């Protein structure tokens, strides 16, 4: 559908947003369920320029390419601008990475989602959420070779999202229970996405499939019903975790510690190496987090942790001056 | 947990119940999602007797064994009575089959579920719904060799049920949108369960698995949200239907007719040969049903049809005198 630009545009007025880190591959919901984290994300400052083109003027916090075609946010913005051929101006972008690339909590998705969300805001909300998701997915295509929505959707919309289908795109917002907290531990090791993919089996048993979709149904129902017991019982991944967890040092010790200290569930965030626990309430999250980090400390590798309630908002404005 | 019997029991006071037919293997929800039908079911009359033992005094409407150990309701009742060793009496049972055995709409489950539900009522609701499900599942074990809950759960509870796990049993009641109607067409052919099983593949592709659990998540969310569009998009089975539908004459013609006339979705009920359509509202159900039966009439085989809103009640009392 052709988009009509607003008659006046706020050129050279910077807008700064915080775009959250996200957990994709939420346990049984491999490739379909994700959620947004609070307290960790990328900060992006965008402005519309009268000169055409996309200029990434600065990237802080990570060594990433500034060339538009090699940068996930650049590629996402390019897709957005191509959808408005009438727009004769350009975009200037600064990125401050709060999320380490390759950590498994949606680093590329946060930059892509934040960039398109912010520019859309400056353009007077020209695009629908579904369209923004599609643009941001182009960043994911650059990052991983596949246009996945399972990180960009929760980054854009906040809360918990179900990507029922990627093609055609069908994203469903799932209500998030108020007391749902997430804890993430990011071991500072490099886990190549290619290795993380290589261990996946291309065929699975029908029995495991049935167990997995029973759990996906249970998890979605648990979120709607705010039934933490059901959520906990459903946070089980019988297909991906058994093979991928072998690539993450200390996984089983951390999982045991998490569940012993009352976490609802524990699993791999994205394709790792980050791991996550979901918890009922801040206190439990604190307790489970301490137990998980203690279990990991024994290994002697450095790590970062994040914790907080599920981020219900998604990308948010930090400053518009 | 030990059960304490009421001090006085209503011996020789017959209770008659209607136990509904059910659709199991609801599209993408193979082995996990089911729903209860209105307007078709088995009628069971039970009474407590002072003499011990289970007596099936009459079976109408189908040629089924009256011996306790060979009858699904008998086996289910036996499991129930074994859980109350203090009970010195017995049970007398009459069954009037409204559901043709082997039709694929939960014939055995209706008899098992109705029998245990009615006896539990006479015993002063001694057992929990989960316990009744377990007893009725013994009938399913006799009927099919496996103690499935996907027909007995919706028969007992009504509405839509998710069997997240069979072992340990974990059944979740899913809210049913008010205007959800079901149409069932039962072709009068014999489809052996063993054949229906034989065509299933024991291994599936991970890609199909992901698509299936995305759809299960979407379907469950659609039921909670009363989002008929989402329900419709999610009613897709990429794993079982492509192989099993080949055993059902006219399947693709009926499916095309159903979807053309506005049904939300169309699929195989249980392991067939019955097929079902889900629809939004009575009018649409009427229209889709007419189109489906017209498509099947061309084949020249006899058939029965049922239609109505999803049965929200499950087993219900017809008469207690």
């Amino acid at each position: 559908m052709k988009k009509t630009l607003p008659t006046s545009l706020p050129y050279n007025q910077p807008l700064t947003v915080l775009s959250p880190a996200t957990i994709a591959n939420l346990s049984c919901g491999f490739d379909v369920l994700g959620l947004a984290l609070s307290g960790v994300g990328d900060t992006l400052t965008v402005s519309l320029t009268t000169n055409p083109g996309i200029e990434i003027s600065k990237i802080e916090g990570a060594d990433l390419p500034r060339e538009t075609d090699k940068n996930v946010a650049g590629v996402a913005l390019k897709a957005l601008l191509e959808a408005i051929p009438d727009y004769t101006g350009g975009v200037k972008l600064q990125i401050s990475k709060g999320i380490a690339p390759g950590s498994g909590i949606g680093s590329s998705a946060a930059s892509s989602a934040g960039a398109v969300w912010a520019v859309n805001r400056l353009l007077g909300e020209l695009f629908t959420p579904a369209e923004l998701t599609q643009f941001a997915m182009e960043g994911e295509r650059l990052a991983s070779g596949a246009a996945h929505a399972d990180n960009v959707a929760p980054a854009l919309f906040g809360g918990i999202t179900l990507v029922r289908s990627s093609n055609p795109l069908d994203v469903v917002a799932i209500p998030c229970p108020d007391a749902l907290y997430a804890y993430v531990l990011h071991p500072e090791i490099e886990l190549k996405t290619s290795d993380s993919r290589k261990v996946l089996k291309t065929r699975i048993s029908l029995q495991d499939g049935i167990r997995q979709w029973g759990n996906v149904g249970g998890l979605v129902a648990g979120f709607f019903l705010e039934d933490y017991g059901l959520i906990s019982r459903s946070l089980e991944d019988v297909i991906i975790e058994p093979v991928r967890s072998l690539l993450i040092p200390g996984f089983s010790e951390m999982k045991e510690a998490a569940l012993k200290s009352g976490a609802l569930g524990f699993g791999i965030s994205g394709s790792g190496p980050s791991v996550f626990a979901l918890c009922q309430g801040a206190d439990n999250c604190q307790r489970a987090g301490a137990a998980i980090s203690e279990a990991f400390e024994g290994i002697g590798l450095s790590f970062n942790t994040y914790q907080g309630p599920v981020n219900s908002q998604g990308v948010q404005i930090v400053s518009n001056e």
Side-chain angles (χ1 to χ4, degrees), chain A residues 65-135:
Chain A
R66 282 175 43 211
E67 298 94 309
T68 305
D69 289 340
K70 294 183 179 169
N71 183 289
V72 295
V75 167
L77 284 179
K78 200 171 163 184
L80 183 153
L81 294 185
E82 280 169 2
I84 38 173
D86 291 351
Y87 178 64
T88 55
V91 173
K92 192 173 151 184
L93 171 67
Q94 290 182 21
I95 305 173
S96 174
K97 292 294 296 178
I99 312 171
S103 53
I105 50 172
S107 177
S108 59
S111 290
S112 307
V116 298
W117 190 94
V119 168
N120 186 52
R121 186 84 178 195
L122 294 174
L123 291 170
E125 314 273 4
L126 264 190
F127 295 103
T128 65
E131 288 167 333
L132 293 182
T133 308
Q134 296 275 15
F135 300 144

Side-chain angles (χ1 to χ4, degrees), chain A residues 48-314:
Chain A
L48 302 181
T49 58
T50 46
N51 292 338
I54 297 163
E55 183 201 350
I56 302 177
S57 59
K58 194 158 76 171
I59 301 179
E60 294 175 333
D63 184 23
L64 291 170
R66 282 175 43 211
E67 298 94 309
T68 305
D69 289 340
K70 294 183 179 169
N71 183 289
V72 295
V75 167
L77 284 179
K78 200 171 163 184
L80 183 153
L81 294 185
E82 280 169 2
I84 38 173
D86 291 351
Y87 178 64
T88 55
V91 173
K92 192 173 151 184
L93 171 67
Q94 290 182 21
I95 305 173
S96 174
K97 292 294 296 178
I99 312 171
S103 53
I105 50 172
S107 177
S108 59
S111 290
S112 307
V116 298
W117 190 94
V119 168
N120 186 52
R121 186 84 178 195
L122 294 174
L123 291 170
E125 314 273 4
L126 264 190
F127 295 103
T128 65
E131 288 167 333
L132 293 182
T133 308
Q134 296 275 15
F135 300 144
M137 284 165 75
E138 291 305 314
E140 295 296 80
R141 193 193 300 279
L142 176 68
S144 74
H148 281 301
D150 45 347
N151 286 107
V152 295
L156 281 169
F157 304 126
I160 300 166
T161 57
L162 170 78
V163 182
R164 187 195 66 79
S165 159
S166 299
N167 187 16
L169 183 65
D170 192 3
V171 176
V172 184
I174 305 292
C176 181
D178 285 341
L180 197 66
Y181 277 65
Y183 174 88
V184 169
L185 183 144
H186 169 219
E188 285 192 352
I189 57 170
E190 197 187 347
L191 181 59
K192 281 195 184 152
T193 307
S194 55
D195 284 343
S196 210
R197 286 229 185 118
K198 229 178 273 169
V199 298
L200 293 187
K201 297 178 169 44
T202 55
R203 296 190 78 75
I204 61 175
S205 78
L206 177 60
Q207 282 312 310
D208 284 347
I210 292 166
R211 193 166 176 106
Q212 197 90 342
W213 63 67
N215 280 322
V216 168
L219 189 54
V220 169
F223 289 142
F224 273 94
L225 296 166
E226 302 205 29
D227 180 337
Y228 292 95
L230 177 57
I231 292 169
S232 181
R233 296 194 300 279
S234 306
L235 282 169
E236 176 193 53
D237 169 9
V238 297
I239 293 176
I240 310 300
E241 184 181 298
V243 289
R244 273 204 176 152
S245 61
L246 304 174
L247 304 176
I248 298 170
F251 183 88
S252 56
E253 292 81 359
M254 289 189 280
K255 182 166 187 169
E256 196 189 330
L259 299 182
K260 253 192 193 162
S261 60
L264 300 170
F266 181 87
I268 302 167
S269 176
S271 53
S274 285
V275 292
F276 72 91
L278 290 187
C279 300
Q280 181 178 2
D283 289 353
N284 184 255
C285 191
Q286 189 77 34
R287 205 160 51 239
I292 293 164
S293 59
E294 195 188 320
F296 191 75
E297 270 163 13
I299 295 181
L301 294 167
S302 334
F303 61 97
N304 300 306
T305 67
Y306 312 98
Q307 70 186 73
V310 174
N311 173 345
S312 60
Q313 208 176 344

Side-chain angles (χ1 to χ4, degrees), chain A residues 1-21:
Chain A
M1 202 177 62
K2 191 164 153 41
K3 299 289 179 179
T4 308
L5 287 166
T7 44
S8 97
L9 286 166
Y11 288 106
N12 304 315
Q13 292 178 28
L15 173 68
T16 300
V17 300
L18 177 67
S19 185

